[in-house]
């Protein structure tokens, strides 16, 4: 009965996964926050961002108004810090369902020469201010060529002719949804126990509670009267009417002159449910393009599957069947006339060059591939919503560390298989697995971090976080990899079906360089993912929200299948021309897709990120791309190698040769 109950749960999970695969549904990471009328809403600010430089900076690095209680950092997770988010409190505050206009915020000190130059620089570099209310980023709508465009955040300012103007008056619109009337409770929960949550408001009052379901901003440049603001305190009402027209600019930035800031807020009730409030940010554009990408991948897979089927059914099966039907005398005669892959039977399992490096790369590839699959699966099921900033990166780190067990196990078991069961040196292999990819990542990220530190960017990883990452590496990841290696050393190695000759067989001269074919094979896996790659790159570098993890999961699974098929076909081709050195070639046959992804990244930099300015920004882009490409090479190469190893083992276990 218990097993039947478990089966029902698994069936439900599979059904949900299939039903929501295309879109990735939203499971809220926190309960809705209900506010009574007049309750204070505090606006927070995130780092200033720009697609022109890709370097985030702190909001208070510019001369903006500061809160009375001082600047305080909000609680941040590891992923937020690694992504360069620095969420802080702000002086902007609202009262729930209370419209307010002409609210004076502050007047800064006269701008120094340095502040004046910095403001102009940030405006030239198209920096955006990112404000957050109840965990929702502010949306700005603009019209262009009759289309409504949606942006998150608003520009610091604008350059008109030779003058620089700052957006110093903000018109906020808060979209709210009425909760229940007082004395009505909501029951939440899916198990036997339910949680009864009382609504906002005192007993006997008719005041309803409200939830924030949208946050919009219109930035304006307004010239305040200098005499009118002299006696005003923060949150006082400005004596004159402020006309917020985003199409005109008035507040010019001048050296040795102060800046004046003000804002207004209005509340609009909308019929948007709380779980659907992120829909405005996550509207899936180009769904047809995603499906086209998947159909394109399926065509490549079908083509390759046909080739694999021909190899198995027509060639291998036919040869094996004919061979097994002969009597021993005929077999002996046939052994002398063998051709193709059957000639390398005594060399096919000869240890490759640099076997330790191959084991390490395969182990790390298993770890990276496992992390990608598990993380994207959880994201596709909606457990890593954008409402919880940084959870995706935090989840990736967590799964990567846990899967160190799998990396150590696979690497050491492969090591023992190559050396026919000898477990000597497994500790060294485990250590290399634990340090190879993280070590390269550490070098790349440290180099890039020095560039960010030199630019005083919030994208730089703080020194304290560096210490935390190193502790996680050596206190969790390394021990788990060693544990996996221990289990790999204890597990039985894979027995070779044929014996290896002492003297290596000479490989006949080839008509064309085999490595050329290996490098060219990467074009097929690249063809399955290059369309989805554009959306991922736009999300990473153009500030767009990527949340079609269902499509990404499908593409990743198709990529795994294509990599396995490509490597298998190429391994068979090499064996047919009596080239028994298939180990490394099977790894790079599918791993060479990384070369084409890096070339695509360079192409994206030249043609899509034309506005990217300065050598520092370009170096950051190429550095992060190199890091991503290395991870992809290890993951895809591992898929190709393991599928080829299985194929070769299966092929020669069917041959009975003395």
């Amino acid at each position: 009965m218990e097993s039947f109950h478990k089966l029902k749960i698994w069936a439900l999970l599979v059904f949900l996964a299939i039903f929501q695969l295309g879109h990735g549904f939203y499971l809220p990471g926190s309960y809705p926050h209900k506010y009574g009328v007049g309750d204070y809403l505090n606006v927070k600010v995130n780092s200033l961002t720009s697609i022109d430089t890709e370097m985030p900076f702190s909001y208070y690095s510019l001369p903006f108004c500061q809160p009375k209680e001082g600047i305080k950092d909000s609680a941040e997770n590891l992923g937020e810090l690694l992504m360069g988010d620095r969420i802080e409190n702000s002086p902007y505050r609202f009262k729930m369902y209370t419209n307010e206009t002409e609210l004076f915020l502050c007047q800064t000190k006269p701008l120094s020469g340095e502040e004046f130059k910095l403001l102009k620089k940030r405006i030239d570099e198209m920096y955006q201010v990112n404000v957050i209310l109840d965990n929702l980023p502010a949306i700005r709508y603009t019209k262009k060529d009759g289309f409504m465009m949606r942006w998150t955040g608003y520009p610091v300012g604008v350059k008109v002719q030779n003058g620089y103007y700052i957006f110093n008056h903000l018109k906020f619109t808060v979209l709210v949804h009425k909760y229940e009337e007082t004395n009505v409770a909501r029951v939440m929960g899916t198990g036997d126990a339910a949680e009864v949550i009382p609504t906002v408001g005192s007993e006997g009052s008719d005041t309803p509670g409200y939830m924030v379901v949208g946050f919009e901003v219109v930035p304006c440049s307004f010239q305040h009267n200098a005499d009118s603001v002299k006696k005003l305190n923060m949150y006082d009402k400005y004596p004159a009417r402020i006309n917020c027209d985003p199409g005109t600019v008035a507040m010019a930035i001048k050296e040795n002159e102060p800046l004046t800031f003000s804002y207004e807020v209005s509340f609009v009730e909308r019929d948007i449910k709380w779980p659907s409030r992120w829909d405005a940010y996550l509207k899936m554009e180009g769904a047809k393009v995603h499906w086209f990408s998947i159909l394109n991948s399926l065509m490549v897979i079908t083509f390759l599957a046909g080739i694999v089927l021909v190899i198995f059914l027509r060639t291998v099966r036919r040869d094996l069947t004919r061979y097994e039907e002969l009597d021993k005398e005929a077999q002996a005669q046939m052994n002398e006339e063998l051709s193709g892959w059957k000639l390398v039977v005594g060399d096919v399992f000869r240890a490759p060059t640099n076997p330790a490096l191959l084991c390490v790369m395969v182990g790390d590839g298993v770890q990276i591939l496992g992390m990608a699959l598990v993380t994207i699966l959880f994201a596709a099921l909606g457990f890593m919503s954008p409402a919880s900033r940084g959870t995706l990166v935090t989840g990736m780190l967590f799964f990567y560390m846990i899967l160190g067990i799998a990396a150590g196990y696979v690497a050491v078991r492969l090591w023992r298989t190559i050396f026919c069961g000898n477990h000597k040196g497994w500790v060294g292999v485990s250590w290399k697995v634990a340090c190879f990819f993280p070590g390269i990542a550490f070098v790349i990220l440290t180099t890039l971090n020095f560039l960010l530190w030199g630019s005083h960017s919030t994208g730089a990883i703080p020194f304290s976080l560096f210490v935390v990452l190193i502790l996680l590496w050596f206190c969790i990841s390394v021990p788990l990899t060693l544990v996996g290696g221990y289990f790999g050393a204890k597990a039985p190695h894979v027995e070779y079906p044929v014996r290896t000759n002492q003297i290596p067989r000479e490989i006949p001269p080839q008509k064309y360089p085999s490595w050329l074919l290996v490098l060219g094979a990467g074009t097929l896996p690249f063809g399955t993912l290059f369309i989805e790659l554009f959306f991922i790159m736009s999300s990473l570098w153009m500030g767009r929200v990527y949340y079609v993890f269902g499509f990404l999961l499908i593409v990743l699974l198709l990529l795994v299948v294509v990599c396995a098929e490509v490597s298998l076909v190429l391994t068979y081709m090499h064996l047919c021309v009596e080239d028994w050195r298939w180990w490394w070639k099977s790894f790079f046959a599918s791993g060479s897709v990384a070369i084409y992804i890096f070339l695509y990244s360079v192409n994206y930099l030249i043609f899509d990120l034309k506005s990217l300015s300065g050598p520092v920004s370009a170096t950051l882009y190429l550095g992060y791309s190199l890091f991503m490409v290395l991870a992809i090479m290890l993951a895809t190469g591992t898929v190709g190698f393991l599928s080829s190893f299985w194929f070769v083992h299966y092929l020669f276990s069917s041959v009975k040769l003395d």
Side-chain angles (χ1 to χ4, degrees):
M1 190 69 186
E2 187 182 345
S3 60
F4 179 68
H5 182 65
K6 287 181 180 177
L7 186 65
K8 284 197 295 183
I9 293 171
W10 276 108
L12 178 63
L13 285 172
V14 170
F15 171 75
L16 285 172
I18 294 168
F19 182 71
Q20 292 292 346
L21 213 50
H23 298 272
F25 61 89
Y26 175 69
L27 291 177
S30 58
Y31 293 119
H33 197 150
K34 300 174 291 295
Y35 300 92
V37 175
D39 285 357
Y40 279 111
L41 302 173
N42 293 313
V43 177
K44 294 179 181 179
V45 288
N46 202 344
S47 301
L48 305 171
T49 53
S50 168
I51 60 170
D52 195 47
T53 65
E54 301 296 347
M55 287 191 291
F57 289 96
S58 169
Y59 174 82
Y60 292 108
S61 63
L62 294 181
F64 291 135
C65 299
Q66 298 189 5
K68 286 180 178 179
E69 64 273 19
I71 301 167
K72 296 175 184 175
D73 288 335
S74 293
E76 294 169 330
N77 58 44
L78 200 62
E80 270 184 23
L81 290 166
L82 289 171
M83 293 298 289
D85 288 339
R86 297 292 183 275
I87 299 174
E88 297 160 314
N89 60 334
S90 82
Y92 297 102
R93 71 178 190 189
F94 313 145
K95 290 178 184 175
M96 174 54 83
Y97 223 106
T98 306
N99 295 342
E100 296 176 287
T101 57
E102 290 99 29
L103 284 176
F104 171 76
L105 200 60
C106 81
Q107 186 177 54
T108 66
K109 295 175 182 178
L111 293 177
S112 65
E114 195 174 320
E115 288 174 330
F116 175 65
K117 286 178 185 175
L118 186 62
L119 262 175
K120 288 201 302 180
K121 186 182 179 187
R122 295 289 178 259
I123 291 170
D124 281 334
E125 291 171 339
M126 299 188 293
Y127 268 87
Q128 302 278 318
V129 179
N130 299 292
V131 287
I132 301 165
L133 177 66
D134 196 41
N135 214 21
L136 283 178
I139 286 185
R140 175 172 57 96
Y141 291 99
T142 57
K143 276 188 178 179
K144 188 176 182 182
D145 301 329
F147 292 97
M148 187 67 76
M149 302 185 74
R150 187 177 68 249
W151 312 85
T152 51
Y154 65 90
V156 171
V158 65
K159 183 181 180 183
V160 179
Q161 294 175 348
N162 293 325
Y164 289 86
Y165 298 86
I166 193 167
F167 290 119
N168 62 331
H169 179 82
L170 301 178
K171 182 180 180 181
F172 293 108
T173 304
V174 182
L175 309 181
V176 295
H177 180 72
K178 188 184 288 186
Y179 198 57
E180 305 95 354
E181 296 294 328
T182 311
N183 299 327
V184 179
R186 184 167 73 106
V187 178
M188 296 198 313
T190 54
D192 298 329
E195 185 181 359
V196 180
I197 299 184
T199 55
V200 177
S202 57
E203 205 171 317
S205 167
D206 292 330
T207 309
Y210 288 93
M211 297 175 295
V212 176
V213 293
F215 187 36
E216 298 172 5
V217 65
V218 178
C220 305
S221 181
F222 180 80
Q223 181 68 57
H224 298 81
N225 185 288
D227 296 326
S228 300
V229 300
K230 280 182 181 177
K231 296 180 181 180
L232 292 179
N233 294 318
M234 191 177 280
Y235 309 123
D236 286 347
K237 193 172 177 68
Y238 184 71
R241 175 174 169 75
I242 297 177
N243 182 29
C244 182
D245 181 7
T248 60
V249 289
M251 185 65 194
I253 302 169
K254 294 178 183 176
E255 196 172 347
N256 297 321
E257 286 193 17
L259 299 173
T260 305
F261 292 88
S262 59
Y263 70 99
E264 61 185 276
V265 59
S266 60
F267 289 80
V268 179
E269 198 168 332
R270 290 281 174 85
D271 190 25
I272 301 172
K273 305 296 182 186
W274 190 85
S276 304
R277 66 181 193 154
W278 276 88
D279 288 359
Y281 305 84
L282 307 178
K283 281 180 181 173
M284 191 178 64
E285 295 166 359
K288 289 181 181 177
V289 179
H290 289 284
W291 284 117
F292 173 75
S293 168
I294 288 167
L295 287 172
N296 171 56
S297 304
L298 285 171
M299 287 174 66
V300 175
I301 282 177
T302 308
F303 169 70
L304 288 170
I307 297 175
V308 172
L309 208 63
V310 167
I311 289 172
F312 270 108
L313 297 182
R314 292 192 58 190
T315 313
V316 179
R317 282 289 182 191
R318 186 190 62 198
D319 286 358
L320 291 175
T321 306
R322 191 179 66 184
Y323 183 79
E324 287 167 1
E325 286 174 353
L326 299 172
D327 56 26
K328 287 186 178 180
E329 188 178 338
Q331 280 186 17
Q333 186 182 353
M334 187 177 176
N335 286 344
E336 296 173 7
E337 300 170 0
L338 287 176
S339 61
W341 58 268
K342 295 177 284 296
L343 282 170
V344 295
V345 69
D347 297 273
V348 72
F349 290 108
R350 189 177 302 282
T353 54
N354 300 314
L357 181 61
L358 179 64
C359 295
V360 167
M361 290 174 77
V362 169
D364 278 330
V366 167
Q367 193 173 6
I368 294 164
L369 183 66
M371 174 204 71
L373 281 168
V374 176
T375 306
I376 294 169
L377 177 63
F378 272 88
L381 292 173
F383 289 102
M384 294 178 180
S385 74
S388 305
R389 285 177 185 78
T391 51
L392 195 67
V393 176
T394 308
M396 287 171 72
L397 272 174
F398 173 76
F399 292 130
Y400 180 82
M401 288 187 296
I402 296 299
L403 287 165
I405 294 177
Y409 177 84
V410 171
V412 171
R413 197 166 179 207
L414 179 61
W415 170 263
R416 292 190 64 219
T417 299
I418 290 173
F419 291 100
C420 301
N422 184 8
H423 64 268
K424 189 179 179 181
W426 73 266
V427 176
V429 172
S430 301
W431 265 103
K432 288 171 185 174
V433 171
C435 297
F436 179 72
F437 178 71
I440 295 172
F442 186 78
V443 170
I444 293 173
L445 294 177
T446 305
T447 307
L448 299 179
N449 219 46
F450 278 120
L451 294 175
L452 291 166
W453 268 334
S455 305
H456 305 288
S457 168
T458 59
I461 301 171
F463 180 75
S464 57
L465 185 58
F466 248 115
V467 174
V468 169
L469 290 172
I470 291 170
L471 287 173
L472 288 173
W473 179 8
F474 284 102
C475 297
I476 297 177
S477 185
V478 171
L480 286 176
T481 309
L482 289 169
V483 168
Y486 172 78
F487 285 119
K490 292 292 181 185
H493 69 283
V494 180
E495 295 278 356
Y496 289 151
V498 291
R499 286 199 301 268
T500 301
N501 297 335
Q502 288 186 346
I503 302 170
R505 179 185 176 83
E506 186 179 349
I507 298 168
Q510 309 296 324
K511 292 179 181 178
Y512 48 83
S514 59
W515 282 103
L516 196 64
L517 193 62
V518 167
L519 294 176
T523 54
L524 289 169
F526 178 73
T528 67
L529 61 84
F530 80 96
I531 297 174
E532 203 65 31
L533 198 61
F534 171 78
F535 291 97
I536 296 168
M537 298 291 274
S538 298
S539 170
L540 289 172
W541 303 108
M542 303 290 281
R544 296 171 188 166
V545 179
Y546 184 90
Y547 205 59
V548 284
F549 289 106
F551 281 117
L552 186 59
L553 180 63
I554 295 170
V555 169
L556 182 62
L557 293 173
L558 294 178
L559 177 66
V560 168
V561 175
V562 171
C563 286
E565 291 178 343
V566 162
S567 184
L568 195 147
V569 170
L570 245 76
T571 299
Y572 181 74
M573 289 173 67
H574 281 115
L575 293 177
C576 282
V577 292
E578 301 172 36
D579 187 351
W580 45 265
R581 295 171 303 185
W582 60 272
W583 300 77
W584 280 108
K585 289 170 185 174
S586 66
F587 186 93
F588 286 112
S590 52
S592 61
V593 67
I595 297 170
Y596 299 97
I597 292 174
F598 188 74
L599 292 174
Y600 180 85
S601 301
V602 174
N603 173 77
Y604 190 86
L605 172 65
I606 296 168
F607 295 104
D608 291 279
L609 292 177
K610 294 175 187 175
S611 61
L612 201 66
S613 62
V616 174
S617 299
T619 305
L620 285 170
Y621 173 84
L622 291 172
Y624 287 126
S625 297
L626 189 65
F627 171 65
M628 177 182 74
V629 158
L630 176 67
I632 291 169
M633 183 199 74
L634 291 172
T636 53
T638 296
V639 171
F641 171 78
L642 292 177
S643 61
S644 289
F645 184 86
W646 169 83
F647 168 70
V648 172
H649 190 277
Y650 169 80
L651 181 62
F652 285 91
S653 63
S654 306
V655 179
K656 299 177 180 62
L657 289 174
D658 295 325

